[in-house]
Amino acid sequence: MGENLARKILKEHLVEGELVPGREIAIRIDQTLLQDATGTMAMLEFMATGIPRVKVGLAAQYVDHNLLQTDNKNADDHVFLATAAQKFGVHLSKPGNGVSHQVHLERFGVPGTTLLGADSHTPTAAGLGQLAIGAGGLDVALAMAGYPFHLTCPKIWGVKLTGQLQPWVSGKDVILEMLRRHTVKGGVGKIIEYYGPGIATLSATDRATIGNMGAELGATTTVFPSDDNTRAFLEAQGRGDVWRELSADADASYDEYDEIDLSQVVPLIACPSSPDNVVPVSEIEGLKVDQVIVGSSVNSSFRDLMTVCRILEGRRIAPGLAFHINPGSRQVLENVVAHGGFMMLLLAGGQVHQPGCLGCIGMGQAPGTNQVSLRTFPRNFPGRSGTKEDRVYLCSPETAAAAGVFGVVTDPRKLSELLPWPDVKNPDRYLVDDAGIQAPPEDGGPVEIVTGPNIVPFPEFPALPDQLDVEVIIKVGDNVSTDTIMPAGNKVLPFRSNIPAISKFVFEQADPEFAIRAAEKGDGAVVGGENYGQGSSREHAALAPRYLGIRVKIAKSFARIHRSNLINFGILPLVFKDPADYDRIKQGDRITIPRLRELTESGATEIPIRVDGAEIVTLLNASQRERRELVAGGLLNTVKEENHG
Ligand code: MIC
């Protein structure tokens, strides 16, 4: 039986364990990616390891999330990152150079290698046949320090693509179809591998779109083969030399299967406020739209933006509608300018912004209360836009442009009444300009790291106590995202390098008193439903609750990255053995966990807890390595112990 591609790449990088789904493995990491919102903390963590210079093939630091400079805070972070990058041997992509995912695809990604990124949408690099995984900042910091990355060996889910997308339908509709079928939990514990004859009809950037939003399915990552389209993209970037052909063996098998006939995919849209709330665009046609945003984390490539330009060419944005464009990179913007697209957008009445994440992480572009906003972004969790009562829909660039023209949600295929399908391709040769990228000097020794007042050192955490006796500070439901635990947006993001300050915002949307109550008690527990902590990789959603004293979270199930982040910072992720026991705990209950330390150390899976006198059995599904970290009070404590004896 032949091998699938995901297993081939994993095998080439395997340093510990066996490729058996569910078991812990460790893989060698070739490249790392940090962005500023997660990267300031990750860089502080890298510094805490005491290792003088990164030990990976390539480390990149992007500044793309916190571009607003309304006071010293973000600016302090930028200077810190710029100097730390120089010191430790990291390539810096400066503010305005673009979104990490798009720039990495353009300038750094290499087929068949591994990339670990402190951003859940790192799998965008699947567009190049790279095995790219999102992780918490500390995991990436340790990969930069040369440590392998530990993960639970995923199942490989083969999704066969046949047929060809019809005019006005694009990569975004394919991933929305996956979300429609499988929900935000459908990919948990799996790598999605696309194969089959339909692949050849998708460009590297279409594949990148599909890879990006595999994160919304909860998948560990996504892989695509590296073929002639991959080579064409790399050659157009002047990087043809890094191309290598990669595919599954013809008789490869998968742990699970699905199939999509691309010819049957229709324009789809995710309704408020979850990426899996997907319906055909035609079902909600006629809904008045107030705002459209194209670009940011996903759908910000040349092909995507130029498609919108062509649709808007010679037309006007519908009255009363705001139409924003967030280019994925400076390179995308320059190429769109060179092809005349910028003028088309301006004449249509569009607002073109600097390349960056912007509204995608709630940094500007917030819609008005109850206004309908159509975005090509990957996420629409409640309030993420910055507006509490938001109504955010996720769609393709074609659907976004159709709304721009008609002012209401419109199936983009209706545009064929106005113009032929533009069928935009990426350029054969991009204009390449690396002015926004700063390579590190050979010797970082003389570089001084600048730490302004917003850069607060990583907090120290004590080891696990023998037993816990804590109150349930909050109880939440299913699919709670990290946006709910640790909000995005311009009020909060500037504190990403300052844990004491950011901890005041934990669960702010769900319960504004949470942080005060937790801090008063000095310790506590959180109870959650299924898929607790889905979404962003931000470790602040573990780190800040830990700072407030949360030592245990009990849920029906946890999202992969958040679970690792909890362990990294010494919070026990316990799972109800019987999910029905979720109903037996309420906010304010007292939880006692006797012999906690001993049970954690001994490898016990069942951890009985007492809730106001009654017993509930919970499970600690953790490897010995993870248990050591939990007992030590967090991963950094174990690393420090190892390095200093
Ligand atoms: C996101 O899309 O949610 C983000 C913003 O890119 C995050 C990173 C962050 O919170 O800084 C992610 O996906 O990991």
Side-chain angles (χ1 to χ4, degrees):
M1 186 63 78
E3 197 89 89
N4 58 54
L5 177 57
R7 282 182 67 93
K8 286 188 196 185
I9 305 179
L10 285 173
K11 234 182 205 172
E12 254 184 51
H13 290 84
L14 193 69
V15 291
E16 264 173 52
E18 272 175 80
L19 290 182
V20 178
R23 297 237 187 112
E24 186 172 89
I25 55 169
I27 56 172
R28 183 169 43 80
I29 296 300
D30 301 315
Q31 299 192 341
T32 58
L33 175 158
L34 295 180
Q35 39 91 335
D36 50 320
T38 52
T40 43
M41 192 44 65
M43 205 56 112
L44 285 168
E45 289 158 350
F46 178 79
M47 281 168 75
T49 66
I51 290 172
R53 195 84 176 162
V54 296
K55 294 187 183 168
V56 272
L58 176 113
Q61 168 70 59
Y62 296 88
V63 182
D64 55 3
H65 280 64
N66 301 346
L67 300 179
L68 289 177
Q69 293 189 198
T70 55
D71 62 18
N72 67 301
K73 294 189 204 69
N74 291 341
D76 280 357
D77 284 0
H78 298 175
V79 178
F80 164 68
L81 289 174
T83 50
Q86 294 268 301
K87 177 126 199 128
F88 299 130
V90 177
H91 280 74
L92 176 79
S93 170
K94 296 201 254 184
N97 192 52
V99 178
S100 61
H101 315 305
Q102 177 66 27
V103 179
H104 207 86
L105 200 71
E106 293 166 355
R107 307 309 301 147
F108 296 120
V110 175
T113 62
T114 52
L115 166 68
L116 194 71
D119 191 295
S120 62
H121 294 114
T122 303
T124 311
L128 289 183
Q130 188 164 35
L131 190 84
I133 303 180
L138 181 52
D139 285 322
V140 180
L142 292 182
M144 288 161 65
Y147 288 82
F149 174 61
H150 289 89
L151 72 161
T152 307
C153 180
K155 289 185 180 168
I156 315 297
W157 181 14
V159 180
K160 185 172 179 185
L161 300 181
T162 60
Q164 178 159 12
L165 291 172
Q166 297 298 298
W168 308 102
V169 183
S170 61
K172 183 61 153 282
D173 299 304
V174 178
I175 192 66
L176 288 174
E177 172 63 16
M178 286 288 284
L179 279 153
R180 190 184 69 76
R181 290 186 190 184
H182 302 289
T183 81
V184 289
K185 291 184 292 199
V188 174
K190 301 170 199 170
I191 293 181
I192 308 172
E193 176 170 330
Y194 293 93
Y195 69 103
I199 301 266
T201 67
L202 299 173
S203 67
T205 55
D206 285 329
R207 298 174 192 179
T209 297
I210 296 170
N212 175 294
M213 284 186 68
E216 276 44 75
L217 286 150
T220 304
T221 188
T222 293
V223 278
F224 275 96
S226 168
D227 58 9
D228 286 345
N229 292 0
T230 325
R231 176 164 54 187
F233 180 81
L234 285 168
E235 277 172 356
Q237 290 287 336
R239 299 202 297 124
D241 55 319
V242 303
W243 180 74
R244 99 187 224 225
E245 187 167 15
L246 291 166
S247 63
D249 294 334
D251 57 347
S253 69
Y254 295 92
D255 299 307
E256 286 177 25
Y257 291 87
D258 194 10
E259 181 165 341
I260 297 181
D261 177 357
L262 296 174
S263 330
Q264 300 296 320
V265 176
V266 298
L268 294 168
I269 190 160
C271 300
S273 289
S274 180
D276 60 359
N277 197 5
V278 175
V279 298
V281 175
S282 56
E283 234 174 68
I284 59 162
E285 258 187 331
L287 178 71
K288 185 180 169 303
V289 178
D290 303 290
Q291 183 195 46
V292 172
I293 315 180
V294 178
S296 296
S297 173
V298 68
N299 290 127
S300 55
S301 68
F302 174 86
R303 181 260 164 218
D304 288 332
L305 265 51
M306 206 58 206
T307 298
V308 172
C309 297
R310 289 276 173 224
I311 294 172
L312 295 180
E313 184 176 6
R315 275 169 250 284
R316 285 266 182 195
I317 303 293
L321 187 141
F323 197 98
H324 304 257
I325 304 270
N326 302 343
S329 67
R330 220 173 116 96
Q331 188 196 84
V332 166
L333 183 55
E334 287 177 10
N335 283 275
V336 168
V337 169
H339 285 76
F342 198 44
M343 206 57 183
M344 297 172 202
L345 291 174
L346 291 182
L347 291 176
Q351 282 173 258
V352 184
H353 298 262
Q354 66 171 322
C357 306
L358 317 179
C360 186
I361 175 96
M363 295 298 274
Q365 302 178 322
T369 299
N370 280 321
Q371 289 199 332
V372 170
S373 178
L374 254 60
R375 303 172 164 208
T376 67
F377 299 172
R379 294 201 167 127
N380 60 346
F381 297 131
R384 181 178 161 96
S385 64
T387 297
K388 199 159 174 237
E389 313 293 330
D390 59 8
R391 290 166 72 195
V392 176
Y393 293 73
L394 309 174
C395 64
S396 71
E398 289 80 352
T399 303
V405 171
F406 296 110
V408 292
V409 173
T410 308
D411 186 321
R413 292 173 293 188
K414 294 241 166 85
L415 287 166
S416 58
E417 292 163 17
L418 303 180
L419 74 156
W421 177 45
D423 194 14
V424 174
K425 305 272 186 258
N426 286 317
D428 291 336
R429 190 84 207 176
Y430 284 90
L431 267 179
V432 173
D433 160 21
D434 285 336
I437 296 180
Q438 211 168 285
E442 283 286 311
D443 176 11
V447 178
E448 287 282 331
I449 297 182
V450 180
T451 46
N454 196 39
I455 313 290
V456 175
F458 185 83
E460 299 269 333
F461 293 132
L464 192 67
D466 293 337
Q467 70 158 41
L468 274 185
D469 179 12
V470 292
E471 184 177 312
V472 177
I473 312 281
I474 193 169
K475 180 178 174 183
V476 290
D478 289 346
N479 294 323
V480 162
S481 79
T482 43
D483 278 325
T484 300
I485 306 169
M486 185 79 257
N490 66 322
K491 233 171 56 184
V492 186
L493 245 66
F495 295 112
R496 287 284 183 97
S497 50
N498 184 343
I499 296 303
I502 208 170
S503 66
K504 299 195 171 67
F505 298 95
V506 176
F507 278 119
E508 197 203 26
Q509 281 174 16
D511 176 354
E513 303 295 307
F514 173 88
I516 303 168
R517 269 203 320 280
E520 259 170 28
K521 309 263 179 230
D523 57 19
V526 170
V527 172
E530 296 282 5
N531 200 23
Y532 178 87
Q534 68 158 331
S536 158
S537 67
R538 64 188 71 141
E539 62 190 355
H540 303 75
L543 193 38
R546 176 75 182 85
Y547 179 81
L548 293 173
I550 301 298
R551 294 305 306 250
V552 56
K553 292 199 179 185
I554 311 167
K556 290 187 191 168
S557 65
F558 288 92
R560 175 185 64 90
I561 307 180
H562 187 59
R563 177 189 165 280
S564 300
N565 286 337
L566 292 175
I567 293 177
N568 284 353
F569 299 110
I571 299 180
L572 273 109
L574 299 181
V575 174
F576 290 105
K577 184 172 183 197
D578 176 0
D581 283 342
Y582 168 85
D583 297 322
R584 293 173 58 199
I585 306 191
K586 46 182 199 321
Q587 190 168 311
D589 278 351
R590 203 106 213 131
I591 292 186
T592 324
I593 316 184
R595 296 169 47 228
L596 177 62
R597 188 186 171 105
E598 184 195 323
L599 291 172
T600 307
E601 263 172 345
S602 72
T605 311
E606 296 207 347
I607 311 276
I609 65 173
R610 298 201 72 75
V611 184
D612 284 340
E615 187 174 284
I616 287 181
V617 180
T618 65
L619 303 176
L620 176 61
N621 297 314
S623 66
Q624 269 318 118
R625 177 190 61 85
E626 290 174 324
R627 287 166 187 270
R628 269 198 310 280
E629 289 167 22
L630 285 167
V631 169
L635 174 54
L636 214 45
N637 290 353
T638 55
V639 170
K640 282 188 201 152
E641 275 166 23
E642 277 166 25
N643 287 347
H644 306 296

